[in-house]
Amino acid sequence: MKTYRLSPTGRRTSLVLLVGALLIWAFALWSFTNTLRLNYNPAQFWPSIQASLAAGLGVGQVVPALLMLALIVTTPLLIWNLLEEWSAVYTPDDDGLRFDSLGIAILCPWSTVADIRSADDDGDEPLDEILFSQDATAQITNPILRFLHCQAYGRRRLPVYAGLENRADLLSVIRHHTMTVADV
């Protein structure tokens, strides 16, 4: 069984994106603190929130604080997605396609593969999705990992990342197996 992982170029790209996401998250934390004049010291956090609210917040503080709060909440989800891409391993065999990444193990029988479609026709790098006829994430036993995977891709989709080594070969193998199943 041949396995497909990110190529060295794909890993470098993911690493650059990961560093960028961490910098954005750090900036959002710092900016949120400075905008609302908060103290992250656990003993001073709640009193600093009360003091900030008592002083009154203007639009010039509320709007940037809400934007930074959105970044504080969503950037870790992006970081998870990048880490899942970093460690993704695809293994096609006679039973189906196995996807493994960060404690996620999904075996998708060939009969459940409904389609392979391009997810981003306008992008510089190709991104395809494997669509399934049933929920592929039910196999993920950890509810937190299942939530994180589903928030990124949905329950019936699996990405075929642009940076995979021998990506065209993997897509060819998937198409071959799905055509063979359809013919039977």
Side-chain angles (χ1 to χ4, degrees):
M1 290 185 298
K2 184 173 181 178
T3 59
Y4 298 86
R5 302 173 190 274
L6 280 184
S7 67
T9 303
R11 287 186 172 271
R12 280 190 297 274
T13 302
S14 290
L15 186 60
V16 168
L17 292 172
L18 184 61
V19 169
L22 288 169
L23 289 172
I24 288 170
W25 192 61
F27 172 75
L29 283 170
W30 173 79
S31 183
F32 185 76
T33 302
N34 284 347
T35 301
L36 297 180
R37 297 181 300 276
L38 299 179
N39 186 344
Y40 281 134
N41 181 341
Q44 297 297 318
F45 184 70
W46 186 248
S48 68
I49 288 176
Q50 290 174 330
S52 182
L53 291 174
L57 298 174
V59 174
Q61 290 175 298
V62 172
V63 172
L66 288 175
L67 177 62
M68 292 306 119
L69 183 61
L71 286 173
I72 289 168
V73 171
T74 58
T75 303
L77 298 174
L78 171 64
I79 291 169
W80 165 262
N81 190 11
L82 290 169
L83 290 173
E84 186 175 344
E85 179 179 352
W86 174 276
S87 63
V89 177
Y90 300 84
T91 309
D93 61 22
D94 292 337
D95 297 330
L97 179 66
R98 176 170 294 284
F99 175 80
D100 295 295
S101 181
L102 296 178
I104 295 171
I106 301 173
L107 175 61
C108 304
W110 295 119
S111 60
T112 64
V113 176
D115 194 14
I116 300 172
R117 70 175 173 98
S118 178
D120 186 13
D121 291 332
D122 298 334
D124 293 338
E125 294 184 353
L127 177 65
D128 293 302
E129 292 178 326
I130 304 168
L131 304 176
F132 300 105
S133 58
Q134 63 188 32
D135 182 1
T137 63
Q139 299 172 41
I140 304 172
T141 55
N142 185 320
I144 295 170
L145 293 178
R146 187 179 324 113
F147 166 76
L148 291 169
H149 181 78
C150 288
Q151 66 81 27
Y153 308 114
R155 296 188 174 279
R156 295 183 178 203
R157 276 186 253 179
L158 190 64
V160 179
Y161 299 112
L164 280 178
E165 203 163 24
N166 298 322
R167 184 175 179 285
D169 182 39
L170 173 62
L171 289 171
S172 173
V173 168
I174 294 169
R175 284 189 177 100
H176 170 74
H177 279 287
T178 56
M179 285 182 170
T180 305
V181 169
D183 292 340
V184 173

